[in-house]
Amino acid sequence: QVQLVESGGGLVQPGGSLRLSCAAAGSIYSMGWYRQVPGKEREFVAVIRWSGGTTNYADSVKGRFTISRDIAKNTVYLQMNSLKFEDTAVYYCNAGFLGGSIRYYWGQGTQVTVSS
C-alpha cells in the first residue's frame, strides 16, 4: 500500500508564506501538487521530475511557488510565497512510481487558508 504523508498546511495572511511537504516510499518518477476548492475540479499546481529535477508550474503560481525535492528523504516540498486569497484550497500531493508502468497516487490533502 503506497502511502504519501503530507504536512505543512495552515492559516496565513495574504502576502505570507507556507511550505508544504510530502514524503513517499518507493521508486519515484515524479511528484507534484494539486489543489481543490469546494465545487471545483482539482487543478494542477506544480510538478517535479525525480530524475533531473525538471519542474513545471501552473501560470497562476509562477514566480510565487517553488517546488523542490530531497532525493535522500524521498520528499517533495512546495514553498508558497506571496500567498493570495485565491490560493485557499486543499492541497494534494501526487506521486508517480516506477514499475511496469507509472502508477500515480494521491496524498490525503492538507488545508491551506489565506485570510486576514
Side-chain angles (χ1 to χ4, degrees):
Q1 181 71 23
V2 173
Q3 186 174 15
L4 305 180
V5 180
E6 299 179 21
S7 62
L11 174 65
V12 64
Q13 292 185 341
S17 298
L18 280 176
R19 189 177 80 156
L20 306 182
S21 302
C22 178
S27 184
I28 300 171
Y29 170 73
S30 67
M31 291 187 78
W33 294 92
Y34 289 70
R35 65 189 182 186
Q36 189 171 23
V37 298
K40 292 189 176 181
E41 293 187 356
R42 195 170 295 186
E43 67 173 7
F44 167 76
V45 175
V47 67
I48 186 166
R49 291 278 182 91
W50 223 243
S51 176
T54 303
T55 59
N56 193 26
Y57 296 90
D59 287 343
S60 59
V61 306
K62 280 181 181 176
R64 301 187 299 121
F65 291 10
T66 302
I67 190 168
S68 62
R69 74 203 192 295
D70 184 327
I71 294 175
K73 296 182 179 179
N74 263 17
T75 298
V76 67
Y77 303 96
L78 185 68
Q79 178 66 43
M80 304 184 293
N81 298 329
S82 302
L83 283 161
K84 305 176 181 180
F85 292 118
E86 52 264 41
D87 294 317
T88 296
V90 177
Y91 284 70
Y92 294 91
C93 176
N94 178 267
F97 293 90
L98 295 167
S101 60
I102 299 172
R103 294 188 175 186
Y104 292 90
Y105 296 86
W106 293 99
Q108 79 279 8
T110 185
Q111 177 70 47
V112 171
T113 302
V114 184
S115 176
S116 55

